Amino acid sequence: MITALRQKALPDISSRRMTVFVCGILGLALITVAGNVQASALHAAAHDVRHANGFVCH
Amino acid sequence: MILKNVTGGIVAGAAAGLLTGLLQLAFVQPVLLHAELYEAGVLVHRGAEAISAHREWSGIDPARDGLSLLFSMLVYVGYGLLLTAAMALAPDEGGSISPRAGAIWGVCGFVAAHLAPAFSLPPEVPGSAHVDLSQRQIWWHATVVVTAVALWLLAFGRGVWSIPVAAVLLLAPHVIGAPQPEHFEGPVPQEIAALFASRALGAGLAGWVLLGAILAWLRRDARVDFS
């Protein structure tokens, strides 16, 4: 019974950790590209959004 | 389950980003375009002639405004994924968050990502005086992170120590102080800068509340998935 419970619980915990990891990495990557990277073309395209969302821009 | 969470973060972020982008185009962008006329020297504040404070609406610029909507959606998809990660980290696995509770998660995201950095480094109108970018970016990121940790402690901290620690974390970035310029030399009238900052914050609050509520609604059966 205990073994059965453990077997059931383990994938849940790892799946929860994977959710946190995958969503965290993807989210940080998007915010960095859209909000912080200073490459000229990207900066020009995202300029108004960066100002409007309070990112430091120039 | 992972795919469903990632999809939920993306869909909620795209929807909230689109609505926030439209709100910003209607209320923030006209103020930004007005400021840019002063930044470029087309209008001169305190020059020989008094300048009217009123501007005609300058219309829609399809390329520029389209890119703004696209990037607003990208930024909010990023926020949506981070909020998804935070909800999955919550002690009850974030499994039973109602849309109303989701809106409160959104308010906390707004406080961490917008309000706390703005408390010492207000949303910058184009043309404002500022110091080196990298210094401000370091301060901005540090402030967002410590504020998020402080809010987490206030919401989920178990010991009594969590409240004073949260207070110290909330105050520290502002006691240390944001990098400020030696001299104020921005050419943009203070009235425009103030309106820009308050509208940017207002639109940000609306965006985060929408994001939290939509995300919670999309994850309403997450508890079933975790079990």
Side-chain angles (χ1 to χ4, degrees), chain B residues 4-5 8-9 11-12 84 87 92-102 211-227:
Chain B
K4 193 168 181 177
N5 270 304
V11 171
T84 303
M87 285 177 173
D92 66 346
E93 298 176 359
S96 53
I97 297 173
S98 70
R100 284 182 184 181
L211 176 66
I214 295 171
L215 186 58
W217 184 75
L218 287 174
R219 297 176 82 260
R220 63 196 180 282
D221 54 353
R223 172 67 89 190
V224 177
D225 283 335
F226 278 121
S227 63

Side-chain angles (χ1 to χ4, degrees), chain A residues 8 12 15-16 18-20 23-24 27 30-31 34 36 38 45-49 51-56 58, chain B residues 1-2 24 29 36 64 68 71 75 77 79 81-82 88-90 93 114 124 133 136-137 140-141 200 226-227:
Chain A
K8 190 172 178 305
D12 290 343
S15 143
R16 184 179 161 192
M18 278 303 287
T19 297
V20 173
C23 288
L30 265 175
I31 299 290
N36 296 119
Q38 288 299 311
H47 174 269
D48 298 350
V49 169
H51 276 281
N53 284 295
F55 290 103
V56 287
H58 297 280
Chain B
M1 204 279 293
I2 296 167
Q24 287 171 342
Q29 189 71 3
E36 282 189 342
R64 183 171 180 172
S68 288
F71 272 89
V75 166
V77 166
Y79 291 155
L81 288 167
L82 291 178
L89 257 184
E93 298 176 359
H114 285 202
E124 293 164 358
L133 178 76
R136 283 176 296 139
Q137 281 193 333
W140 187 92
H141 282 93
F226 278 121
S227 63

Side-chain angles (χ1 to χ4, degrees), chain B residues 161-177:
Chain B
W161 55 268
S162 59
I163 293 173
V165 170
V168 169
L169 289 176
L170 285 171
L171 289 170
H174 310 288
V175 172
I176 293 166

Side-chain angles (χ1 to χ4, degrees), chain A residues 47-48 51-52, chain B residues 28-36 64 125-126 196:
Chain A
H47 174 269
D48 298 350
H51 276 281
Chain B
V28 185
Q29 189 71 3
V31 186
L32 183 143
L33 293 175
H34 196 177
E36 282 189 342
R64 183 171 180 172
V125 77
F196 181 82

Side-chain angles (χ1 to χ4, degrees), chain B residues 102-127:
Chain B
I104 295 173
W105 276 83
V107 171
C108 291
F110 165 76
V111 171
H114 285 202
L115 189 62
F119 189 70
S120 289
L121 207 60
E124 293 164 358
V125 77

